[in-house]
Every structure is written in structure tokens, then in C-alpha cells.
């Protein structure tokens, strides 16, 4: 599980080979699932929801229905992929992390 300081470090480093930022949860959940799958097929990585492309932590609220829908989408990855999906408060804002590793 990433800590607040881990997330700040990733945000300050910017998007790259192992990190992708989304300011919100897109309506097309499959796009997020595909990014997670791509990280799993490479060296692992993290998708941070609540961070914009300019490396600014905006925060995002994800209600139970959206969270469940995203978890279901991630569950459709085959073969089964173990990834962590959780919320961390960073600078008083909710940042949701999807972490997968090799």
C-alpha cells in the first residue's frame, strides 16, 4: 500500500513508464482497466485517480457504485490479476490508487 509520501513522490516525478494520472474516474472504465493490464504486462505500475496531467493533486470522490463498477472491470482481466485499489488522503484530498506489480 502506498503512503501519502509515496504518492507525493510519484506525483512530483510525473507520469511515465510506471505511472498514469487521471483527474477523475472516466465513464469508460475499460480504459483504466486496459492501463492497469498494460502495467501488469510490463514492470508494474500505478494509476492515480485524483491527479491531473500537470502533476497537481485535485482529489476525487468515488462512490460505492463507481468503486464496485471499477472493481468488476478490473476483475474481468484474464488471467486473473492481483492489484490493489484503495484511497489515501493526500493534502486533505482523496487520491485513489490502483497498483499492480510484477
Amino acid at each position: 500500500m502506498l503512503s501519502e509520501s509515496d504518492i507525493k513522490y510519484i506525483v512530483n516525478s510525473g507520469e511515465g513508464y510506471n505511472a498514469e494520472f487521471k483527474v477523475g474516474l472516466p465513464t469508460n472504465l475499460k480504459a483504466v482497466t486496459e492501463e492497469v493490464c498494460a502495467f501488469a504486462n510490463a514492470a508494474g505500475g500505478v494509476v492515480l485517480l485524483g491527479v491531473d496531467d500537470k502533476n497537481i493533486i485535485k482529489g476525487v470522490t468515488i462512490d460505492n457504485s463507481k468503486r464496485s463498477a471499477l472493481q468488476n472491470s478490473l476483475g474481468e482481466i484474464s488471467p486473473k490479476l492481483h492489484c490493489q485499489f484503495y484511497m489515501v488522503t493526500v493534502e486533505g484530498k482523496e487520491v485513489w490508487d490502483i497498483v499492480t506489480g510484477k
Side-chain angles (χ1 to χ4, degrees):
M1 185 165 162
L2 297 175
S3 68
E4 179 178 3
S5 60
D6 293 332
I7 293 170
K8 286 180 178 181
Y9 177 81
I10 293 167
V11 170
N12 288 332
S13 298
E15 290 182 303
Y17 183 70
N18 297 87
E20 178 70 27
F21 305 156
K22 301 280 184 202
V23 73
L25 185 61
T27 54
N28 179 9
L29 296 179
K30 186 170 177 116
V32 173
T33 302
E34 289 171 351
E35 290 178 25
V36 170
C37 191
F39 283 143
N41 286 321
V46 60
V47 176
L48 297 179
L49 304 172
V51 180
D52 71 11
D53 289 337
K54 295 179 182 178
N55 304 351
I56 298 172
I57 298 169
K58 299 285 190 174
V60 64
T61 301
I62 299 177
D63 64 27
N64 285 340
S65 65
K66 289 179 183 176
R67 181 178 172 188
S68 179
L70 181 56
Q71 287 173 322
N72 289 341
S73 183
L74 293 170
E76 292 175 2
I77 296 173
S78 181
K80 195 75 170 164
L81 173 65
H82 173 72
C83 61
Q84 299 176 30
F85 175 51
Y86 54 90
M87 188 273 295
V88 176
T89 302
V90 181
E91 299 175 354
K93 300 169 186 158
E94 291 183 9
V95 175
W96 288 81
D97 312 335
I98 307 169
V99 180
T100 185
K102 271 290 196 184

